Coordinates of all heavy atoms in Angstrom, one line a residue:
D244 N 44.3 -2.1 -69.6 CA 43.2 -2.0 -70.5 C 41.9 -2.2 -69.9 O 40.9 -1.9 -70.5 CB 43.4 -3.1 -71.6 CG 44.4 -2.7 -72.6 OD1 44.9 -1.5 -72.6 OD2 44.9 -3.5 -73.5
Y245 N 41.8 -2.8 -68.7 CA 40.6 -3.2 -68.0 C 40.2 -2.2 -67.0 O 39.0 -1.9 -66.8 CB 40.7 -4.6 -67.4 CG 41.5 -5.5 -68.3 CD1 42.8 -5.7 -68.2 CD2 40.8 -6.1 -69.4 CE1 43.5 -6.7 -69.0 CE2 41.5 -6.9 -70.3 CZ 42.8 -7.2 -70.1 OH 43.5 -7.9 -71.0
T246 N 41.2 -1.6 -66.3 CA 40.9 -0.6 -65.1 C 41.0 0.9 -65.6 O 40.4 1.7 -64.9 CB 41.8 -0.9 -64.0 OG1 43.1 -0.7 -64.2 CG2 41.5 -2.3 -63.5
A247 N 41.8 1.1 -66.5 CA 42.0 2.5 -66.9 C 40.8 3.4 -67.3 O 40.8 4.6 -67.0 CB 43.0 2.6 -68.1
P248 N 39.7 2.7 -67.9 CA 38.6 3.6 -68.2 C 37.9 4.1 -67.0 O 37.0 5.0 -67.2 CB 37.8 2.6 -69.0 CG 38.6 1.5 -69.5 CD 39.7 1.4 -68.4
F249 N 38.2 3.6 -65.8 CA 37.4 4.0 -64.6 C 38.2 5.0 -63.8 O 39.3 4.9 -63.6 CB 37.1 2.7 -63.8 CG 36.3 1.7 -64.6 CD1 36.9 0.5 -64.8 CD2 35.0 1.9 -64.9 CE1 36.2 -0.5 -65.5 CE2 34.3 0.9 -65.6 CZ 34.9 -0.3 -65.9
S250 N 37.5 6.0 -63.3 CA 37.9 7.0 -62.4 C 38.4 6.4 -61.1 O 37.7 5.5 -60.6 CB 37.0 8.1 -62.2 OG 37.3 8.9 -61.1
K251 N 39.5 6.9 -60.5 CA 39.9 6.4 -59.2 C 38.8 6.7 -58.2 O 38.9 6.1 -57.1 CB 41.2 7.1 -58.9 CG 42.3 6.8 -59.8 CD 42.6 5.2 -59.8 CE 43.9 5.0 -60.6 NZ 43.8 5.3 -62.0
D252 N 37.9 7.6 -58.4 CA 36.8 7.9 -57.4 C 36.0 6.8 -57.2 O 35.3 6.7 -56.1 CB 36.0 9.1 -57.9 CG 36.7 10.5 -58.0 OD1 37.7 10.6 -57.4 OD2 36.2 11.3 -58.8
L253 N 35.9 5.8 -58.1 CA 35.2 4.7 -58.0 C 35.8 3.5 -57.1 O 35.1 2.5 -56.8 CB 34.8 4.1 -59.3 CG 34.2 5.1 -60.4 CD1 33.9 4.4 -61.7 CD2 32.8 5.6 -59.8
Y254 N 37.0 3.8 -56.7 CA 37.6 2.8 -55.7 C 37.4 3.1 -54.3 O 37.8 2.3 -53.5 CB 39.2 2.9 -56.0 CG 39.6 2.3 -57.4 CD1 39.4 3.0 -58.6 CD2 40.2 1.0 -57.4 CE1 39.9 2.4 -59.7 CE2 40.6 0.4 -58.6 CZ 40.4 1.1 -59.7 OH 40.8 0.6 -61.0
G255 N 36.9 4.2 -54.0 CA 36.7 4.5 -52.6 C 37.5 5.7 -52.2 O 38.4 6.3 -52.9
D256 N 37.2 6.3 -50.9 CA 37.8 7.6 -50.5 C 39.3 7.5 -50.5 O 40.0 8.5 -50.8 CB 37.2 7.9 -49.2 CG 35.8 8.3 -49.2 OD1 35.2 8.5 -50.3 OD2 35.0 8.1 -48.2
E257 N 39.9 6.4 -49.9 CA 41.3 6.4 -49.8 C 42.1 6.6 -51.0 O 43.0 7.3 -51.2 CB 41.7 5.1 -49.1 CG 43.1 5.0 -48.6 CD 43.6 3.7 -47.9 OE1 42.7 2.9 -47.9 OE2 44.6 3.7 -47.3
V258 N 41.6 5.8 -52.1 CA 42.3 6.0 -53.4 C 41.9 7.2 -54.1 O 42.8 7.9 -54.7 CB 41.8 4.7 -54.3 CG1 42.5 4.9 -55.7 CG2 42.3 3.4 -53.7
A259 N 40.8 7.7 -53.9 CA 40.4 9.0 -54.5 C 41.2 10.2 -54.0 O 41.4 11.2 -54.7 CB 38.8 9.2 -54.2
A260 N 41.7 10.0 -52.7 CA 42.5 11.0 -52.2 C 43.9 11.3 -52.8 O 44.5 12.3 -52.7 CB 42.8 10.7 -50.7
L261 N 44.2 10.4 -53.8 CA 45.4 10.6 -54.6 C 45.2 11.9 -55.5 O 46.3 12.4 -55.9 CB 45.6 9.4 -55.5 CG 46.1 8.1 -54.8 CD1 46.1 7.0 -55.8 CD2 47.5 8.3 -54.3
G262 N 44.0 12.3 -55.8 CA 43.7 13.5 -56.5 C 44.4 13.6 -57.9 O 44.4 12.6 -58.6
N263 N 45.0 14.7 -58.1 CA 45.6 15.0 -59.4 C 46.9 14.2 -59.5 O 47.4 14.1 -60.7 CB 46.0 16.5 -59.4 CG 44.8 17.4 -59.5 OD1 43.8 17.0 -60.0 ND2 44.9 18.6 -59.0
D264 N 47.4 13.5 -58.6 CA 48.5 12.7 -58.7 C 48.2 11.2 -59.0 O 49.1 10.4 -58.9 CB 49.4 12.7 -57.5 CG 50.0 14.2 -57.2 OD1 50.4 14.8 -58.1 OD2 50.0 14.5 -56.0
E265 N 47.0 11.0 -59.3 CA 46.5 9.6 -59.5 C 47.2 8.8 -60.6 O 47.2 7.5 -60.6 CB 45.1 9.5 -59.6 CG 44.6 10.1 -61.0 CD 43.0 10.0 -61.2 OE1 42.4 10.0 -60.1 OE2 42.6 10.0 -62.4
F266 N 47.8 9.5 -61.5 CA 48.5 8.8 -62.6 C 50.0 8.8 -62.5 O 50.8 8.5 -63.4 CB 48.1 9.3 -64.0 CG 46.7 9.3 -64.2 CD1 45.8 10.4 -64.4 CD2 46.0 8.0 -64.2 CE1 44.5 10.3 -64.7 CE2 44.7 7.9 -64.4 CZ 43.9 9.0 -64.6
D267 N 50.6 9.4 -61.4 CA 52.0 9.5 -61.2 C 52.5 8.2 -60.6 O 52.1 7.9 -59.5 CB 52.3 10.7 -60.3 CG 53.8 10.9 -60.2 OD1 54.6 9.9 -60.2 OD2 54.2 12.1 -59.9

Side-chain angles (χ1 to χ4, degrees):
D244 283 349
Y245 317 100
T246 63
F249 301 112
S250 168
K251 298 297 186 294
D252 293 339
L253 303 180
Y254 286 77
D256 294 341
E257 187 176 13
V258 175
L261 288 170
N263 293 331
D264 294 322
E265 65 180 26
F266 299 121
D267 185 331

